[in-house]
Amino acid sequence: MLVTVVAAMSYALYLRFNPTRAYHSFISHQKAEAAAQARLLQMHLQSLTGRKVFLDSDHLTNLEMLSVVVRSQIGILVALVTGGMLRRPWCALEIVVANRSHRSAFVVQTPSFAAPTEDELGDLGAYLDNSDQGIAALGVTMHDIVAAYRSLLSEA
């Protein structure tokens, strides 16, 4: 009986600290520039891995859950970077949360992508589109975004 209790407790602790992720990966993208490419990438990754790949148009029910999904339900963040992707506040949130959560990141660069300059990173409020969309209320600072972008782009 004691062995059964210890085994059950050990298994519960294992699940608590090594949870199974609901999604193999999460595709961060700007819908206006790369919706079709993101869908194709999702289909390809699901075919390769045999696991679900998070794409917001399929799985997102509300924006508040976005950070929860990235923090706890994915294995890899796939950043499909286009000309305007890093300017989008919600994409910035996804990248910051992945960076904070120590998720692996993989960058897929499109021909339209140009990395932000040091001047643009220095004035991120001007660089981001609609930077007042509420990500600051979720605990994301400009410093967090700069650090996450630098980390992401060092992977590219």
Side-chain angles (χ1 to χ4, degrees), residues 8-131:
M9 288 175 54
S10 298
Y11 184 64
L13 283 171
Y14 171 78
L15 290 178
R16 168 73 174 97
F17 294 106
N18 295 303
T20 301
R21 309 252 183 249
Y23 303 97
H24 172 269
S25 49
F26 178 107
I27 301 174
S28 182
H29 68 289
Q30 183 183 12
K31 218 174 275 189
E33 293 181 342
Q37 295 90 336
R39 171 70 65 197
L40 185 61
L41 184 57
Q42 177 200 34
M43 292 168 45
H44 185 66
L45 288 171
Q46 286 179 161
S47 175
L48 285 174
T49 65
R51 299 206 33 226
K52 291 192 297 184
V53 173
F54 189 99
L55 189 62
D56 57 4
S57 56
D58 291 345
H59 303 104
L60 189 63
T61 55
N62 68 58
L63 286 171
E64 287 75 33
M65 290 302 295
L66 195 60
S67 62
V68 172
V69 170
V70 175
R71 182 175 49 253
S72 63
Q73 296 181 15
I74 68 163
I76 301 168
L77 176 83
V78 178
L80 180 55
V81 291
T82 55
M85 185 265 201
L86 294 182
R87 293 180 181 273
R88 305 300 303 150
W90 292 104
C91 293
L93 172 71
E94 295 160 4
I95 294 166
V96 167
V97 172
N99 189 51
R100 284 181 180 168
S101 304
H102 307 287
R103 296 284 166 257
S104 296
F106 183 80
V107 177
V108 178
Q109 288 186 16
T110 64
S112 66
F113 175 69
T117 66
E118 283 302 314
D119 288 342
E120 289 169 328
L121 290 175
D123 188 11
L124 209 52
Y127 178 75
L128 291 175
D129 294 337
N130 303 317
S131 61

Side-chain angles (χ1 to χ4, degrees), residues 86 89 91-101 121 124 128 135-153:
L86 294 182
C91 293
L93 172 71
E94 295 160 4
I95 294 166
V96 167
V97 172
N99 189 51
R100 284 181 180 168
S101 304
L121 290 175
L124 209 52
L128 291 175
I135 64 171
L138 298 171
V140 175
T141 67
M142 295 295 175
H143 175 73
D144 295 330
I145 296 170
V146 170
Y149 281 7
R150 285 193 172 123
S151 176
L152 179 75
L153 295 174

